[in-house]
Amino acid sequence: DSASASYALAFAAAHDGDGKIHTIKVRVKREGAKIRYRESYLDKSPDERMADRNMAALYYDIVPNPLEASISLGTDIPQGAGFAVPVIVHVPVGNLVLLPQGEVHEGRLSLWLAAVDEDGRIIQAPKQVFAPRIPNDKLLAALNQTVAYSFQFLMRPGRQRVAVALRDDIGLTEAGVTTSFQVPRGANP
């Protein structure tokens, strides 16, 4: 009976988020030692990592939200066998980094949206990019307001969960927010 030991090794790659597959080679000096390890990994881009985090947020409630984003819902619109549900994402302007660009201050906000119903069917929207622009003479007042972006999801009746991942591309702040609701709203959960 031989003694056994296991070790977990980690390293910081020199390339961060290049979207390529990289090979890994692990060697040991001890003769006869057996090693098992992954032979490659995909170094996902920052956008791919944000999309993955958003998908995880559909199933887990722990979502950091330093941007203090929120979600509200518009009125369900019957459409075929389902409903078009307006999902509105609100972000406080004062939590975004805005840079002066002539007569305005401008930000850059990327959003990823996804929804899952009670049967596990997933709807995933492509990344959306917005550039909030605040006129310089209205900047102080706008810092106490929110910007809002509206999206429509075609949803079947039943329990739904929506997750939104956000990234302030200038301030490099990442956040997420989720909500659950019944479609049509007003129906018993």
Side-chain angles (χ1 to χ4, degrees):
D1 193 354
S2 64
S4 67
S6 64
Y7 300 91
L9 303 174
F11 69 97
H15 40 78
D16 186 30
D18 64 8
K20 296 179 181 176
I21 295 176
H22 297 274
T23 58
I24 301 171
K25 181 70 175 165
V26 177
R27 292 177 287 219
V28 295
K29 291 183 178 183
R30 187 174 184 198
E31 194 172 317
K34 294 182 182 182
I35 58 175
R36 291 186 299 169
Y37 61 93
R38 291 176 57 176
E39 295 181 6
S40 65
Y41 69 96
L42 173 62
D43 191 18
K44 293 184 177 183
S45 72
D47 282 2
E48 291 170 321
R49 288 194 296 265
M50 285 296 292
D52 287 351
R53 281 188 207 119
N54 196 46
M55 292 303 293
L58 285 176
Y59 300 100
Y60 304 103
D61 284 328
I62 302 171
V63 182
N65 189 5
L67 293 175
E68 299 178 15
S70 61
I71 298 173
S72 65
L73 302 169
T75 303
D76 299 346
I77 303 163
Q79 196 153 17
F83 293 85
V85 179
V87 174
I88 306 145
V89 180
H90 306 268
V91 183
V93 172
N95 292 348
L96 297 173
V97 174
L98 303 171
L99 298 177
Q101 301 289 327
E103 298 296 314
V104 299
H105 274 67
E106 186 173 289
R108 183 175 159 94
L109 188 63
S110 294
L111 287 89
W112 291 260
L113 294 96
V116 64
D117 69 14
E118 60 196 4
D119 295 323
R121 287 183 291 262
I122 295 173
I123 304 168
Q124 191 172 15
K127 171 186 168 184
Q128 305 289 315
V129 178
F130 300 96
R133 296 170 53 94
I134 312 293
N136 292 340
D137 61 343
K138 300 193 185 312
L139 182 61
L140 285 178
L143 293 176
N144 295 319
Q145 299 172 357
T146 62
V147 290
Y149 304 100
S150 183
F151 307 89
Q152 274 200 358
F153 280 99
L154 185 57
M155 297 179 160
R156 296 178 186 198
R159 195 87 185 131
Q160 301 284 341
R161 181 170 174 88
V162 171
V164 180
L166 307 93
R167 182 179 61 219
D168 177 341
D169 292 328
I170 297 172
L172 300 179
T173 303
E174 297 176 352
V177 61
T178 62
T179 190
S180 295
F181 53 94
Q182 187 74 21
V183 172
R185 249 101 27 72
N188 293 329

